[in-house]
Amino acid sequence: MDNHKSLFGIGLRREHYPYLIEKPNTDIDWFEVISENYMNTEGRPMSVLESIRIDYPIACHSVGMSLGSSKKIDSNYLFNLKRLIKRVDPFLVSDHLAWNDWNGTRLHELIPIPFHEESLEIIANNIDYVQNELQRKIAIENISAYFSYTSSTMNEAEFLKSLTEKTGCLILLDINNIYVNAKNFQFDPLDFIKTIPKNSIAQIHLAGFTDMGNFLFDTHAEPVHPEVWNLLEKSLDFLPKNIPMMIEWDENVPEFHTLQEELNKLRMITKSGNKNETKRTTEFVL
């Protein structure tokens, strides 16, 4: 987004196709699409996306690069992704700090990686390969995880920082995932955000988790929780100004106006937070 004015977006979901193809006036500045939903289709999803692209900027968010795999990135996958990029000209292309390719079988979960020098070298090489193939920087998202590796020698934030230094890649910072992991693994979420180089952060995700009683589960099935709004507000000093932010809602997808209301809450928190630093909430609930 060239003018830094179109800052607040949502994920494009099929439940909202019928509403959006009527081209209503919305409070949405841009849409993010899951790349794999549009890479190999000439059907309705692509026709809807092309119609929406006329009026809105698009970000392409992938789940299938498997950047954490020790094997080379699938060249056929990148070929199809390049075709989509050429077609919709996204302002950002992103994927996750994870792996999900098991001997050619695509798993339906994003699996965490160990945070040590060997992993760093493998993933940096994969990112370099992807960025060279796509001829653009990509953004890497921190994921929610439910186990960790005893072999790790650094934390996730330190690992991401090292990746930006090695590859020049960008960071898609998911505030909800940081909070979920901070709660589940007991660390300070603000320390995580402070560790990430400010000038590498290209986009922000927010979403709703589900409290399972003894752990938080990143479901994207609820509104953003107050604790996550609070973390965002406290993070504003450590985030770039005029950064694209969005709401993810993937399960129990509500009506479009509900998402607009959630996005307008994000607008208000961000704008009031940037103007009134001294009024920010000072306590977290962990």
Side-chain angles (χ1 to χ4, degrees), residues 171-188:
I171 300 297
L172 195 171
L173 203 62
D174 191 308
I175 303 296
N176 180 68
N177 288 352
I178 295 171
Y179 183 81
V180 165
N181 287 351
K183 177 72 172 180
N184 291 342
F185 295 107
Q186 288 300 299
F187 63 83
D188 186 335

Side-chain angles (χ1 to χ4, degrees), residues 3 12 28 31 47 49 66 71 88 93 95 112 118-119 131 162-163 168 177 181 183 235-236 245 250 253 255 257:
N3 60 10
L12 178 61
I28 310 302
F31 286 92
S47 66
L49 175 57
S66 200
K71 59 182 291 187
V88 302
V93 175
D95 208 303
E118 184 179 359
S119 285
Q131 292 186 146
S162 295
L163 277 179
N177 288 352
N181 287 351
K183 177 72 172 180
S235 303
L236 292 175
M245 300 185 180
D250 299 322
V253 177
E255 293 183 1
H257 73 84

Side-chain angles (χ1 to χ4, degrees), residues 24-37:
N25 292 324
T26 76
D27 295 329
I28 310 302
D29 296 330
W30 57 276
F31 286 92
E32 181 184 85
V33 300
I34 303 301
S35 302
E36 289 79 5
N37 291 344

Side-chain angles (χ1 to χ4, degrees), residues 136-281:
R136 64 191 297 158
K137 291 183 178 183
I138 61 172
I140 312 302
E141 180 181 355
N142 57 292
I143 70 166
S144 54
Y146 306 98
F147 66 89
S148 59
Y149 296 87
T150 57
S151 59
S152 291
T153 59
M154 62 186 91
N155 61 43
E156 184 181 23
E158 292 167 340
F159 193 93
L160 283 165
K161 179 182 179 182
S162 295
L163 277 179
T164 67
E165 294 167 349
K166 277 182 162 293
T167 68
C169 70
L170 304 170
I171 300 297
L172 195 171
L173 203 62
D174 191 308
I175 303 296
N176 180 68
N177 288 352
I178 295 171
Y179 183 81
V180 165
N181 287 351
K183 177 72 172 180
N184 291 342
F185 295 107
Q186 288 300 299
F187 63 83
D188 186 335
L190 199 57
D191 282 348
F192 185 113
I193 293 166
K194 289 178 181 178
T195 300
I196 304 298
K198 190 174 183 178
N199 61 0
S200 71
I201 302 172
Q203 187 181 324
I204 298 292
H205 274 183
L206 293 110
F209 60 77
T210 299
D211 191 338
M212 306 301 289
N214 57 348
F215 73 99
L216 301 184
F217 190 28
D218 177 35
T219 56
H220 297 184
E222 300 182 22
V224 178
H225 286 246
E227 299 92 336
V228 176
W229 287 129
N230 186 21
L231 178 56
L232 171 67
E233 189 178 12
K234 287 181 69 71
S235 303
L236 292 175
D237 285 339
F238 311 104
L239 302 177
K241 305 300 181 186
N242 301 317
I243 181 173
M245 300 185 180
M246 66 160 286
I247 302 292
E248 291 185 292
W249 203 319
D250 299 322
E251 301 292 335
N252 303 324
V253 177
E255 293 183 1
F256 194 83
H257 73 84
T258 301
L259 270 177
Q260 289 194 122
E261 291 171 359
E262 193 81 344
L263 193 65
N264 284 330
K265 187 184 299 183
L266 173 58
R267 277 192 176 93
M268 289 187 292
I269 288 173
T270 303
K271 291 178 180 179
S272 64
N274 279 325
K275 293 177 182 177
N276 303 294
E277 282 87 351
T278 59
K279 294 183 179 180
R280 293 183 192 162
T281 306

